[in-house]
Amino acid sequence: QPVVHFRNVNKYYGSSLAVDNLDLAIEPGQFVTLLGPSGCGKSTTLRMLGGFEMPTSGEIFLDGQEISQLPPNKRNVNIVFQDYALFPHLNVRRNVAFGLELKGMASDAIHKRTMELLSLVKLTDFAERMPGQLSGGQRQRVALMRALAPNPNVLLLDEPLSALDAKLRQQMQIELKSIQKTTGKTFIFVTHDQEEALTMSDVVVVMNAGRIEQMGDPHTLYAKP
Ligand code: ADP
Ligand code: ADP
């Protein structure tokens, strides 16, 4: 059974159609990239899955349950935005712990999980630092671990690397892919950068004007004839 299934999903903003009869099934544990030019409907698709937009019509299933009308906190997904704003007044450890505290997890369990996640991205020694004392890449890693902390089945990433310089961006692509494989979560990543999509994805979904144009593994999609 697919972990995510969009069925005949349409999204209008006023009279303009942003997502056009989307049918998309995503298998669990895959790194899936939505690729396409600005305005083609990638973010809207992601936001509908996260619960920040409601479809105008159609159904969205998560683990077999229809969730299109549920609020974000009732869905087993989490989202990392482009600006990945950390809480500036909380240290690294408390940033990562935030979602677990909201859930009411016991404090020793929170500490254990938080330190495990920080160790996964080699930030153990930075646990007590404030966000302002971190590099861009380190902040990005903290934001990622904060989103993974509550153990969502699906992680949504909306152009999370676009603010980084080219070198760091390449490094983060490798790290993201490795974190996805280590955790076994389903990652759905949005980008307009074809190279980024090819480097990281198990499946690339090419979108244009609110529709899926092509879909497949990068080698098949971009094989030289
Ligand atoms: P992408 O992520 O591929 O850049 P979006 O999903 O952001 O595309 O946008 C798809 C279309 O919907 C665009 O034409 C955009 O201008 C429009 N759109 C997106 N969000 C809104 C909104 N909140 N209100 C009105 N129109 C929107
Ligand atoms: P993206 O990076 O996905 O292209 P945009 O920069 O187009 O995003 O949009 C940023 C924000 O502005 C989003 O929250 C989106 O919903 C909103 N937005 C985009 N297009 C429009 C629009 N035509 N009218 C109103 N809001 C919009």
Side-chain angles (χ1 to χ4, degrees), residues 143-154:
L144 204 59
M145 291 307 118
R146 183 179 61 178
L148 284 173
N151 211 16
N153 242 350
V154 179

Side-chain angles (χ1 to χ4, degrees), residues 71-115:
N73 64 355
K74 294 279 193 280
R75 305 176 181 211
N76 196 12
V77 299
N78 220 338
I79 188 160
V80 181
F81 291 102
Q82 183 174 323
D83 46 17
Y84 56 88
L86 298 174
F87 304 115
H89 58 291
L90 297 181
N91 68 23
V92 165
R93 185 173 49 74
R94 302 264 338 267
N95 261 282
V96 175
F98 187 80
L100 302 175
E101 289 171 5
L102 275 188
K103 274 184 152 185
M105 191 189 259
S107 61
D108 48 348
I110 292 180
H111 188 77
K112 183 162 179 284
R113 170 130 184 97
T114 301
M115 294 315 286

Side-chain angles (χ1 to χ4, degrees), residues 182-212:
T182 306
T183 57
K185 304 284 177 197
T186 307
F187 278 26
I188 308 181
F189 184 92
V190 159
T191 185
H192 57 265
D193 183 327
Q194 176 169 312
E195 193 255 307
E196 197 163 271
L198 296 185
T199 308
M200 290 191 292
S201 320
D202 299 312
V203 176
V204 179
V205 179
V206 184
M207 292 184 70
N208 196 16
R211 297 167 183 247
I212 296 178

Side-chain angles (χ1 to χ4, degrees), residues 13 35-36 65 74 88 96 109 120 128 150 165 198:
Y13 293 107
L35 172 69
Q65 190 200 356
K74 294 279 193 280
V96 175
L120 188 66
E128 305 306 317
D165 67 57
L198 296 185

Side-chain angles (χ1 to χ4, degrees), residues 13 38-39 42-44 47 53 82 158-159 190:
Y13 293 107
S38 182
K42 307 181 297 291
S43 290
T44 299
R47 291 200 301 263
E53 296 284 0
Q82 183 174 323
D158 195 351
E159 307 225 18
V190 159

